[in-house]
């Protein structure tokens, strides 16, 4: 089993700076979007609260108060009729009809001291309630105790979800004679006050009953309804069954209905009555002029901060880049100083070594001169001199590297230099490698540093040798070529290695 490991490079400081800048920009963009969305939602909530305030004022000033005032006015007139001292039933009924038109009530009636209906104005399509015993109704019980409905109470008669305002009828000496009752139907409140609100909205009684709503089915779900501290509507028998319980405790801040999230808004009307409205959490209203000015100011400040951040990051990057360049130049300076020291050392060693080679060349020349021409040692002496001269050229290159001597370019015969190189390579090449020469150039005299060219060709031949471990052929050829600068000599090396 082989295990492959990769080294993960460490992120640079510049990368971290760029990453931090991008994260900051993204975070600020998200925060700005959230701020705008929340501001639009707050505008929608403020607009809904304003509309609920208008509904509350309408209910208090027109529906509740006028209904209660009308019931008190009618009670003072009905006392004379029930005592039989003054007034006529027809005049009273006409007065009651006027109050019904004024308040929007759809029914008015008078109960005697036993709780039976003695006078009434009602729709002909409803069952006649004249003579009906309503002594068990809550408004009769309250009136018998002398309580006035400053805020109307709920009751049903028959099977109508309505709001009843009642006032006790008393004689001059305070004796209870009966009660006058006006009925306000829930549809009037729904059409006049709640229909203009687009989302689910309801008017709730102190007992937590949905009296009027603009939704066919109230969306809140759940807990059992708490008992009321007053005479509860649930403690008294009712002649109808159309009242709707609030399914929910009315205290949640947010609810879900039909797959949408709503924010719960509440507004007290008075004496325990309240308006409850559901506002979608996706609701949005355009920004006001002041809010737009604030947003423009924040955007301007944000742009300035972004510009400053960009300048800061760019400055940090420039500082880091300058520090990196300084470190790199410092390293190059150290390498240059090291090479200079090495050059001085090479110059000194080369100078001493050149003195030794000079003596060898001199002695080889003397020995070659003194040996007879037919002596085999004469060729050996000549080869010693040639090798010493090449060594001297190498020392001269070392001195040039050490800045102690310059390059020496002079006219030489290229073919002679190549043949000399062949003699040097013949003894170092393996037996499986063949060295071929194709010296076809008609002119071979060039101006060049012979030592440098000798080393270049030697390196090419050695590379070719290394590329042919199983043998092959090395070919060195020369040709004359025409170039823009004139006629030139081209040296080409080729091999059939791997």
């Amino acid at each position: 089993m082989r295990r492959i490991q990769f080294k993960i490079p460490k992120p640079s400081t510049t990368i971290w700076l760029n990453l931090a800048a991008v994260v900051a920009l993204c975070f600020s963009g998200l925060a700005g979007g959230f701020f705008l969305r929340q501001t639009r939602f707050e505008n929608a909530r403020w607009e809904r609260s304003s509309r609920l305030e208008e509904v509350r004022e309408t209910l208090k000033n027109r529906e509740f108060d006028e209904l209660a005032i009308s019931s008190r006015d009618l009670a003072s007139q009905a006392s004379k009729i029930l005592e039989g001292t003054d007034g006529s039933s027809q005049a009273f009924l006409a007065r009651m009809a006027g109050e019904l038109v004024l308040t929007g009530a759809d029914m008015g009636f008078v109960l005697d001291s036993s709780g039976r209906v003695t006078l009434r104005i009602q729709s002909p399509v409803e069952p006649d309630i004249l003579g009906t015993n309503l002594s068990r109704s809550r408004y009769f019980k309250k009136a018998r105790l002398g309580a006035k409905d400053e805020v109307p109470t709920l009751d049903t008669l028959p099977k109508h979800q309505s709001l009843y305002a009642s006032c006790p009828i008393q004689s001059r000496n305070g004796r209870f004679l009966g009660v006058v009752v006006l009925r306000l139907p829930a549809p009037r409140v729904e059409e006049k006050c709640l229909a203009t609100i687009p989302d689910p909205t309801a008017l709730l009684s102190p007992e937590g009953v949905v009296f009027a709503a603009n939704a066919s089915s109230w969306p809140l779900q759940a807990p059992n309804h708490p008992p009321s501290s007053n005479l509860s509507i649930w403690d008294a028998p009712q002649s109808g069954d159309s009242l709707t319980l609030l399914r929910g405790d009315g205290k949640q801040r947010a609810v879900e209905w039909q797959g949408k999230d709503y924010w719960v808004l509440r507004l007290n009307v008075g004496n325990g009555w309240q308006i409850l409205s559901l506002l979608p959490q996706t609701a949005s209203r355009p920004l006001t002029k002041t809010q737009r000015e604030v947003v423009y100011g924040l955007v301007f400040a944000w742009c300035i901060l972004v510009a400053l951040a960009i300048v800061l990051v760019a400055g940090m990057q420039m500082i880091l880049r300058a520090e990196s360049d300084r470190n790199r130049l410092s390293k190059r300076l150290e390498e240059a100083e090291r090479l200079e020291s090495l050059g001085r050392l090479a110059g000194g060693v080369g100078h001493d070594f050149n003195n030794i080679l000079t003596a060898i060349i001199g002695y080889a020349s003397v020995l070659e001169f003194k040996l007879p021409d037919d002596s085999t040692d004469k060729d050996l002496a000549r080869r010693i001199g040639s090798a010493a001269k090449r060594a001297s050229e190498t020392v001269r290159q070392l001195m040039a590297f050490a800045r102690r001597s310059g390059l020496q370019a002079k006219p030489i015969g290229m073919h002679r230099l190549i043949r000399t190189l062949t003699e040097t390579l013949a003894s170092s090449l393996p037996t499986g490698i063949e060295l071929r020469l194709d010296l076809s150039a008609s002119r071979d005299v060039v101006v060049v540093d012979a030592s440098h060219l000798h080393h270049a060709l030697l390196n090419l031949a050695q590379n070719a040798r290394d590329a042919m471990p199983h043998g092959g052929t090395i070919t060195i050829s020369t040709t004359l070529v025409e170039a823009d600068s004139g006629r030139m000599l081209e040296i080409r090396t080729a091999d059939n290695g791997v």
Side-chain angles (χ1 to χ4, degrees):
M1 180 178 179
R2 300 180 61 186
R3 178 179 298 176
I4 301 176
Q5 295 181 345
F6 298 95
K7 184 178 180 181
I8 301 177
K10 183 180 180 180
S12 62
T13 306
T14 302
I15 294 177
W16 284 118
L17 287 174
N18 293 331
L19 182 60
V22 171
V23 170
L25 289 175
C26 293
F27 177 77
S28 60
L30 292 175
F34 175 78
F35 171 76
L36 291 177
R37 184 173 65 85
Q38 189 64 25
T39 302
R40 293 191 182 100
F41 175 77
E42 291 298 331
N43 289 346
R45 187 165 65 173
W46 177 85
E47 189 268 344
R48 175 61 54 80
S49 299
S50 300
R51 296 180 68 175
L52 295 180
E53 286 281 357
E54 296 175 0
V55 172
R56 179 176 67 174
E57 293 303 318
T58 301
L59 287 172
K60 289 182 64 176
N61 299 333
R62 295 294 305 275
E63 308 302 330
F64 288 180
D65 290 350
E66 289 185 2
L67 202 64
I69 293 173
S70 295
S71 65
R72 288 196 294 270
D73 291 342
L74 290 174
S76 63
Q77 297 291 328
S79 62
K80 300 176 182 180
I81 298 175
L82 293 180
E83 285 181 328
T85 59
D86 191 12
S88 65
S89 299
Q90 296 299 325
F92 176 80
L93 293 176
R95 175 71 179 274
M96 179 179 288
E99 294 292 340
L100 294 181
V101 173
L102 179 64
T103 60
D106 67 339
M107 177 182 287
F109 52 93
V110 177
L111 304 180
D112 60 14
S113 59
S114 63
R116 292 187 179 276
V117 178
T118 59
L119 295 172
R120 86 281 186 234
I121 293 180
Q122 67 178 102
S123 173
V125 298
E126 295 185 44
D128 191 1
I129 63 172
L130 185 63
T132 305
N133 188 352
L134 298 178
S135 60
R136 301 181 65 184
S137 62
R138 65 177 300 177
Y139 43 80
F140 180 79
K141 292 180 179 180
K142 289 181 66 177
R144 184 136 192 171
L145 295 175
K148 297 180 180 180
D149 276 338
E150 296 297 334
V151 175
T153 59
L154 287 176
D155 206 343
T156 55
L157 175 70
K159 295 188 178 181
H160 281 277
Q161 186 166 329
S162 304
L163 184 142
Y164 294 82
S166 62
C167 184
I169 303 173
Q170 296 177 346
S171 64
R172 293 180 179 179
N173 56 8
R175 184 169 58 90
F176 175 71
L177 299 177
V179 59
V180 61
V181 183
L182 298 180
R183 186 181 76 177
L184 181 69
R188 173 179 171 84
V189 176
E190 293 173 350
E191 294 173 4
K192 189 174 181 180
C193 302
L194 304 182
T196 59
I197 301 178
D199 301 307
T201 303
L203 176 61
L204 309 182
S205 74
E207 296 83 7
V209 173
V210 178
F211 168 67
N214 62 357
S216 58
S217 60
W218 186 250
L220 295 185
Q221 298 293 318
N224 295 328
H225 181 66
S228 172
S229 59
N230 301 325
L231 292 174
S232 175
I233 190 173
W234 314 115
D235 296 336
Q238 306 300 316
S239 56
D241 58 0
S242 61
L243 291 179
T244 306
L245 273 174
L246 172 65
R247 299 186 59 80
D249 59 6
K251 297 180 181 179
Q252 306 102 305
R253 293 177 60 88
V255 295
E256 181 179 351
W257 182 46
Q258 294 182 351
K260 295 182 179 179
D261 294 327
Y262 289 86
W263 186 269
V264 180
L265 299 180
R266 300 177 185 83
L267 189 65
N268 292 325
V269 179
N271 295 327
W273 288 77
Q274 64 174 331
I275 302 172
L276 190 147
S277 181
L278 301 186
L279 178 67
Q281 293 190 359
T282 57
S284 177
R285 295 284 295 176
L287 300 180
T288 63
K289 180 180 179 181
T290 303
Q291 289 173 339
R292 287 197 299 269
E293 293 175 352
V294 172
V295 170
Y296 293 154
L298 292 176
V299 170
F300 180 72
W302 179 78
C303 292
I304 292 178
L305 289 177
V306 170
L308 291 176
I310 292 175
V311 172
L312 179 61
V313 171
M316 291 295 294
Q317 291 179 348
M318 291 179 62
I319 294 174
L320 293 174
R321 192 179 299 111
E323 184 69 18
S324 177
D325 293 341
R326 189 181 68 83
N327 293 335
R328 185 172 64 255
L329 291 176
S330 178
K331 291 181 180 179
R332 293 182 62 179
L333 179 61
E334 292 177 359
E335 292 178 358
E337 291 176 350
R338 215 166 31 244
L339 290 175
E340 184 179 1
S341 301
L342 182 60
R344 286 196 297 268
L345 177 62
V349 172
H351 182 73
D352 295 338
F353 192 61
N354 196 33
N355 293 336
I356 298 174
L357 291 177
T358 300
I360 294 175
I361 293 172
Y363 291 146
S365 299
V366 172
L367 182 61
E368 181 183 0
F369 177 75
K370 289 185 177 182
L371 291 174
D373 294 337
D374 57 351
S375 175
T376 57
D377 295 334
K378 188 178 182 68
D379 183 59
L380 294 177
R382 180 172 56 80
R383 291 192 178 188
I384 291 173
S386 298
K389 289 179 180 179
R390 287 197 297 274
S392 178
E393 291 294 329
T394 301
V395 172
R396 185 176 58 77
Q397 291 180 10
L398 186 61
M399 298 286 286
F401 171 75
R403 304 295 191 271
R404 295 299 182 89
S405 64
L407 299 178
Q408 296 181 0
K410 58 184 179 180
I412 63 170
M414 182 62 67
H415 292 172
R416 180 182 178 184
L417 177 65
I418 293 175
R419 290 190 179 92
T420 303
L421 174 65
T422 304
E423 294 176 0
T424 304
L425 287 174
S427 59
S428 61
L429 293 177
T431 56
I433 296 178
E434 179 184 0
L435 183 60
R436 294 181 182 178
L437 300 179
D438 183 13
L439 309 178
S440 58
S442 59
R443 297 177 60 181
D444 67 331
V445 178
V446 295
V447 179
V448 70
D449 188 301
S451 177
H452 279 210
L453 184 59
H454 183 275
H455 279 283
L457 295 175
L458 182 61
N459 288 334
L460 289 174
Q462 290 175 348
N463 289 338
R465 177 197 63 189
D466 297 337
M468 296 184 295
H470 304 296
T473 303
I474 301 176
T475 304
I476 302 177
S477 60
T478 60
T479 55
L480 289 177
V481 296
E482 296 293 338
D484 295 337
S485 57
R487 182 177 295 180
M488 304 183 70
L489 179 67
E490 180 183 83
I491 307 173
R492 185 185 299 269
T493 62
D495 65 80
N496 56 1
V498 296

